[in-house]
Amino acid sequence: MKLRFLGKNSANGDCPTLYATDRDTYLVQGWRIFANELLMQLDIPEGQTAVEVPTELFEHLTKDGLPAGEIKRLEDPLMVLTPEGTFIVQGLEVTDPEALEQMSIPDYETVVEVPRAAIIALLEEPRGADLQRRAQPAL
């Protein structure tokens, strides 16, 4: 898998990072989730995991030719908007050695792969039930 760095939200060392891949997906590098209350709320399918990232991380989508990276819908692969202003993003846990070799991942972070189409859908204006879900942040 080949990666193209889109951006991160800190100049200091490792932090949540966004990559585009040659597989029409995005890799979202984020913080591992250790909060028990939050973990109990999540329904994560086998083979997948979730990471926590700042909402501003998606502003880097503009570097991949997408319109402003403002998330307007809260649905898969986004699971939760936390009171701290972060998103919980669910996806396939990245285990590809070639991809992992291209990243610097500290022990407190991991990486998920999400389809580009799913991210693009999150940039669309919400409709009906989406508006109701968006108004109810977790925790």
Side-chain angles (χ1 to χ4, degrees):
M1 175 185 330
K2 293 187 177 155
L3 307 182
R4 187 166 46 84
F5 173 81
L6 295 179
K8 60 173 56 183
N9 289 74
S10 170
N12 299 338
D14 302 312
C15 65
T17 308
L18 185 64
Y19 300 89
T21 75
D22 61 347
R23 301 183 344 177
D24 210 25
T25 61
Y26 290 109
L27 298 189
V28 181
Q29 178 181 333
W31 302 298
R32 293 181 186 271
I33 300 169
F34 295 108
N36 286 336
E37 311 85 44
L38 182 55
L39 284 172
M40 291 184 343
Q41 291 182 35
L42 304 177
D43 182 20
I44 302 172
E46 183 80 24
Q48 294 196 6
T49 193
V51 295
E52 184 175 0
V53 298
T55 56
E56 300 83 14
L57 183 65
F58 294 102
E59 293 171 2
H60 298 293
L61 291 170
T62 58
K63 298 171 188 165
D64 196 39
L66 297 181
E70 179 186 351
I71 301 296
K72 298 180 180 178
R73 303 176 75 159
L74 187 58
E75 60 186 41
D76 289 341
L78 295 182
M79 301 177 74
V80 173
L81 172 60
T82 71
E84 291 80 27
T86 60
F87 283 128
I88 304 301
V89 183
Q90 171 184 301
L92 293 173
E93 186 166 10
V94 176
T95 57
D96 181 292
E98 181 185 356
L100 294 172
E101 193 174 283
Q102 299 173 63
M103 298 179 270
S104 176
I105 308 167
D107 291 342
Y108 55 87
E109 291 186 352
T110 192
V111 183
V112 297
E113 183 175 16
V114 296
R116 186 175 194 269
I119 295 294
I120 290 172
L122 300 175
L123 302 175
E124 298 172 357
E125 287 296 330
R127 303 176 298 249
D130 296 325
L131 287 170
Q132 188 175 38
R133 285 176 58 185
R134 187 174 185 206
Q136 299 173 351
L139 303 175

